[in-house]
Amino acid sequence: MKTMQYSDEVLDAIIHKKPVVALESTIISHGMPYPDNVSMAIEVEDIIRNEGAVPATIALMDGQIKVGLTKDEIERLATEEGVIKTSIRDLPGVLAKKQTGATTVATTAYAAQQAGLHFFATGGLGGVHRGVADHMDISADLVALSKCNICIVSAGVKSILDIPKTLEFLETLGVPVYGYETDRYPGFYFRETEHEVPSITKEELAKIMKIKHHLSLEQAVHVAVPVPDADAMDRDHIQSIIDHALTEADQRGITGKDITPFLLGHIKDATAGESLKANIALMKNNAKVAAQLAVCHQK
């Protein structure tokens, strides 16, 4: 049964051993409003190409895992009603029903590994939600990263989550975490938290990936990249907004896969769009770094 379909650009890259960077698609369908989502997706792909790599945005369409999207398919994903936010557990059902699905970090990581891709850029990781002892809400992203031998580049864990518990859980799962040219783990909207991580360069990361492959270690490597300084937000300000958003979500009984879009929307409104600006900036920066890492690894 054929369930994976490559774009011509990605297929050519795989055949000719060009560096490829996978991209998730939930950020298009659920992470940003239209038309910001379309322009962001196209700009991110162009950034990767400009760095000498090939972008592979991944989504589910017509019963296939699409590895690499055309501009028309990106537009479809951004505007179609009822696009399914698809994590690993949802993948067989969405494919069987031939629904349109946007891939989360977990599903993108799985698809990237199946496609033989080694690098993946996203905005922020899912993780352990605050108050986890009461509801056990832990993103499937983390478990997927323990099984997918890729390098995932992000601006850290989304600020709405419990960052220290997420880092602890990644350690339990055997997923190494590095800061890209920084020894402080970033806070998504702001540049650094108090949590220390080993700093890494692209040359060091290339060696680590090669050695991991030689050792047959199947866990991902997480490279955390701080949001560009010009686009970073004040930590105390954004944290107070997040706390208020979490309180409102709890009062309204919003949980599960609905909570992240709700919180991000609340934060966007409360910051008069500044959080969206930071989100777009960090996504572009992550794509640039991931492409540079992929090119260095290929060399």
Coordinates of all heavy atoms in Angstrom, one line a residue, residues 162-168 177 179 182-187 190-198 235 239:
D162 N 5.2 23.6 30.7 CA 6.1 23.5 31.8 C 7.5 23.2 31.3 O 7.8 22.0 31.0 CB 5.6 22.5 32.8 CG 6.3 22.5 34.1 OD1 7.5 22.7 34.1 OD2 5.6 22.3 35.2
I163 N 8.3 24.2 31.1 CA 9.6 24.0 30.5 C 10.5 23.0 31.3 O 11.1 22.1 30.8 CB 10.3 25.3 30.2 CG1 9.5 26.1 29.2 CG2 11.8 25.1 29.7 CD1 10.0 27.5 28.9
P164 N 10.7 23.2 32.6 CA 11.6 22.3 33.4 C 11.1 20.9 33.4 O 11.9 19.9 33.2 CB 11.6 22.9 34.8 CG 10.5 23.8 34.9 CD 10.3 24.3 33.5
K165 N 9.8 20.6 33.5 CA 9.3 19.3 33.5 C 9.5 18.6 32.1 O 9.8 17.5 31.9 CB 7.9 19.2 33.9 CG 7.7 19.4 35.4 CD 6.2 19.1 35.8 CE 6.1 19.1 37.3 NZ 6.4 20.4 38.0
T166 N 9.4 19.5 31.0 CA 9.6 19.0 29.7 C 11.0 18.5 29.5 O 11.3 17.5 28.9 CB 9.2 20.0 28.6 OG1 7.8 20.3 28.8 CG2 9.4 19.5 27.2
L167 N 11.9 19.4 29.9 CA 13.4 19.0 29.8 C 13.7 17.8 30.6 O 14.5 16.9 30.1 CB 14.2 20.2 30.3 CG 14.2 21.5 29.4 CD1 15.0 22.6 30.0 CD2 14.7 21.2 28.0
E168 N 13.1 17.6 31.7 CA 13.3 16.4 32.6 C 12.8 15.2 31.9 O 13.5 14.1 31.8 CB 12.6 16.6 33.9 CG 12.9 15.5 34.9 CD 14.3 15.4 35.4 OE1 15.0 16.4 35.5 OE2 14.8 14.3 35.6
V177 N 19.6 17.5 24.4 CA 19.1 18.9 24.2 C 20.3 19.8 24.2 O 21.1 19.8 25.1 CB 18.1 19.3 25.2 CG1 17.7 20.8 25.0 CG2 16.9 18.4 25.3
G179 N 21.8 23.9 23.1 CA 21.5 25.3 22.7 C 22.4 25.7 21.6 O 23.6 25.4 21.6
T182 N 24.5 28.9 22.5 CA 24.0 29.4 23.7 C 24.0 28.3 24.8 O 23.8 27.2 24.5 CB 22.6 30.1 23.6 OG1 22.2 30.6 24.9 CG2 21.6 29.0 23.2
D183 N 24.3 28.7 26.0 CA 24.2 27.7 27.1 C 23.0 27.9 28.0 O 22.9 27.3 29.1 CB 25.5 27.8 28.0 CG 25.7 29.1 28.6 OD1 24.8 30.0 28.5 OD2 26.7 29.3 29.3
R184 N 22.0 28.6 27.5 CA 20.7 28.8 28.2 C 19.6 28.3 27.3 O 19.5 28.7 26.1 CB 20.5 30.2 28.6 CG 21.5 30.8 29.6 CD 21.2 30.2 31.0 NE 22.3 30.7 32.0 CZ 22.2 30.5 33.3 NH1 21.1 29.9 33.8 NH2 23.1 31.0 34.1
Y185 N 18.7 27.5 27.8 CA 17.6 27.1 27.0 C 16.7 28.2 26.8 O 16.3 29.0 27.7 CB 16.8 26.0 27.8 CG 15.8 25.2 26.9 CD1 16.3 24.3 26.0 CD2 14.5 25.5 27.0 CE1 15.4 23.6 25.2 CE2 13.6 24.8 26.2 CZ 14.0 23.9 25.3 OH 13.2 23.2 24.5
P186 N 16.3 28.5 25.5 CA 15.4 29.6 25.2 C 14.0 29.4 25.7 O 13.5 28.3 25.9 CB 15.5 29.7 23.7 CG 15.8 28.3 23.2 CD 16.7 27.7 24.3
G187 N 13.2 30.5 25.8 CA 11.9 30.5 26.3 C 10.8 30.7 25.2 O 9.8 31.3 25.5
F190 N 10.9 34.6 24.4 CA 12.0 35.3 25.0 C 13.3 34.5 24.8 O 13.2 33.2 24.7 CB 11.8 35.7 26.4 CG 11.3 34.6 27.3 CD1 12.1 33.9 28.1 CD2 9.9 34.4 27.5 CE1 11.7 32.9 28.9 CE2 9.4 33.4 28.3 CZ 10.3 32.6 29.0
R191 N 14.4 35.1 24.9 CA 15.7 34.5 24.4 C 16.2 33.4 25.4 O 16.9 32.5 24.9 CB 16.7 35.6 24.2 CG 16.5 36.4 22.9 CD 17.6 37.3 22.6 NE 18.9 36.7 22.5 CZ 19.3 36.1 21.4 NH1 18.5 36.0 20.3 NH2 20.5 35.5 21.3
E192 N 16.0 33.6 26.7 CA 16.6 32.6 27.5 C 15.9 32.4 28.8 O 15.2 33.3 29.3 CB 18.1 32.9 27.8 CG 18.3 34.2 28.6 CD 19.8 34.4 28.9 OE1 20.6 34.2 28.0 OE2 20.1 34.9 30.0
T193 N 16.0 31.1 29.3 CA 15.4 30.8 30.7 C 16.6 30.6 31.6 O 17.8 30.8 31.2 CB 14.6 29.5 30.6 OG1 15.5 28.4 30.3 CG2 13.5 29.7 29.6
E194 N 16.4 30.2 32.8 CA 17.4 29.9 33.7 C 18.0 28.5 33.6 O 19.0 28.1 34.3 CB 17.0 30.1 35.2 CG 15.9 29.1 35.6 CD 14.5 29.5 35.2 OE1 14.3 30.4 34.4 OE2 13.5 28.9 35.8
H195 N 17.5 27.7 32.7 CA 17.9 26.3 32.5 C 19.1 26.2 31.6 O 19.1 26.7 30.5 CB 16.7 25.5 31.9 CG 15.5 25.6 32.7 ND1 15.3 25.1 34.0 CD2 14.3 26.2 32.4 CE1 14.1 25.4 34.5 NE2 13.5 26.1 33.5
E196 N 20.2 25.6 32.1 CA 21.4 25.5 31.4 C 21.4 24.3 30.5 O 20.8 23.2 30.8 CB 22.6 25.3 32.4 CG 22.8 26.6 33.2 CD 24.0 26.4 34.1 OE1 24.7 25.4 34.1 OE2 24.3 27.4 34.9
V197 N 22.0 24.4 29.3 CA 22.1 23.4 28.3 C 23.5 23.5 27.7 O 24.1 24.5 27.7 CB 21.0 23.4 27.2 CG1 19.6 23.1 27.7 CG2 21.0 24.8 26.5
P198 N 24.0 22.4 27.2 CA 25.3 22.4 26.5 C 25.2 23.3 25.2 O 24.2 23.1 24.4 CB 25.6 21.0 26.2 CG 24.7 20.1 27.0 CD 23.5 21.0 27.2
R235 N 10.2 39.0 29.1 CA 9.9 37.7 29.7 C 8.7 37.9 30.7 O 7.7 37.1 30.7 CB 11.1 37.1 30.4 CG 10.8 35.8 31.2 CD 12.0 35.2 31.8 NE 11.7 34.0 32.6 CZ 12.6 33.2 33.1 NH1 13.9 33.4 32.8 NH2 12.2 32.1 33.8
Q239 N 4.9 36.3 30.3 CA 4.6 35.3 31.3 C 3.3 35.6 32.0 O 2.4 34.8 32.3 CB 5.7 35.1 32.3 CG 6.9 34.3 31.8 CD 6.7 32.8 31.6 OE1 5.6 32.4 31.3 NE2 7.7 32.1 31.8

